Amino acid sequence: MKMRMSAAVTALILTSTAAFGADLAPSSVEPVPPAALPFSWTGFYAGANIGYAFGGDDRVGVHYPNYIGDIGKASGKGILGGLQAGYNYQLDNIVIGLEADIQGSQIKDSVTGSVAGIPGKGQSDVKWYGTLRPRIGYAFDRFLIYATGGLAYGNIDYKLNYDGVSIKDSSTKLGWTAGAGVEYAFTDNLSGRLEYQYVDFGGYRVGNANLSTKATPDFHAVRVGLNYKF
């Protein structure tokens, strides 16, 4: 009888010990997913763009040989498209960078009028242009707003016909540009942008000692583009 009671007590103690041990066993822990890293604009990128140019204020004056008046104002307009490449560096929310682009364009205009009772016609055509610009912006994670400005250069055809005499110039000119834009990163590598630029090629003389004009080609441009960050 005593042996049976001892066996029963022993079994009860072993069962309680096992249950208590089970209560002390560590419960399974769900794995914690790694924290998502913030997006960075730092890196090289390249892309393409397309846009439209308009406006400007190029007054076509006639010097015959002294200044005698304006034929009118030429405001070039037309489509443009090209490639861009650059590098960004991000420090906290500030993004600084350098970008170069080259654009094929058909930014044309012609204006007719008369000076001293004699009809005349002026024409301009920006065949291509490019820029080299630093950029500075502020990033809201994947959204970037920026300002930009720097060097502009381009090939411009310029013509003036007056009193049966024609003068023209076709050459590459230097100027300046300034603008601003917004850009959004759809993925870690692909981003899209909307950008405004003002481009001014300054003033230069076209013609000879008998007939000349001062060309002042400039225009506004709005462009949309895509970039791939490496």
Side-chain angles (χ1 to χ4, degrees):
M1 181 68 177
K2 290 182 178 180
M3 293 181 61
R4 291 180 180 177
M5 289 182 64
S6 298
V9 171
T10 301
L12 178 61
I13 291 173
L14 292 176
T15 303
S16 299
T17 301
F20 182 71
D23 290 340
L24 293 180
S27 59
S28 61
V29 178
E30 292 292 332
V32 178
L37 295 176
F39 177 78
S40 174
W41 290 91
T42 297
F44 289 97
Y45 64 90
N49 69 82
I50 189 170
Y52 187 77
F54 58 94
D57 185 10
D58 182 8
R59 298 190 178 277
V60 183
V62 178
H63 296 253
Y64 198 53
N66 299 316
Y67 175 75
I68 59 175
D70 290 351
I71 291 176
K73 183 178 75 171
S75 299
K77 55 185 179 292
I79 61 172
L80 56 94
L83 304 173
Q84 70 270 351
Y87 180 81
N88 288 323
Y89 180 76
Q90 183 170 350
L91 181 62
D92 293 330
N93 294 95
I94 303 300
V95 178
I96 58 175
L98 182 67
E99 179 173 296
D101 66 77
I102 187 72
Q103 308 292 130
S105 61
Q106 293 186 344
I107 307 172
K108 301 180 180 182
D109 191 33
S110 65
V111 57
T112 58
S114 61
V115 179
I118 300 174
K121 181 178 182 179
Q123 295 175 281
S124 67
D125 182 4
V126 181
K127 293 184 174 296
W128 61 264
Y129 76 95
T131 69
L132 178 62
R133 299 168 283 108
R135 303 198 309 166
I136 183 168
Y138 191 89
F140 302 87
D141 192 30
R142 292 179 176 270
F143 182 79
L144 174 67
I145 181 170
Y146 63 89
T148 184
L151 174 71
Y153 54 95
N155 183 262
I156 306 168
D157 282 355
Y158 207 95
K159 299 177 183 178
L160 172 65
N161 297 305
Y162 182 75
D163 197 17
V165 180
S166 297
I167 56 174
K168 63 180 180 178
D169 178 82
S170 179
S171 57
T172 300
K173 304 297 181 183
L174 294 178
W176 60 274
T177 181
V182 293
E183 190 164 356
Y184 183 78
F186 304 111
T187 70
D188 287 347
N189 300 104
L190 186 65
S191 64
R193 67 162 58 167
L194 173 64
E195 184 177 83
Y196 161 80
Q197 285 186 352
Y198 172 72
V199 181
D200 190 329
F201 291 105
Y204 57 95
R205 186 69 58 186
V206 176
N208 51 51
N210 295 321
L211 176 64
S212 65
T213 186
K214 184 180 180 180
T216 57
D218 65 333
F219 57 86
H220 306 267
V222 175
R223 314 188 302 185
V224 294
L226 289 174
N227 284 325
Y228 185 87
K229 183 167 75 74
F230 299 96

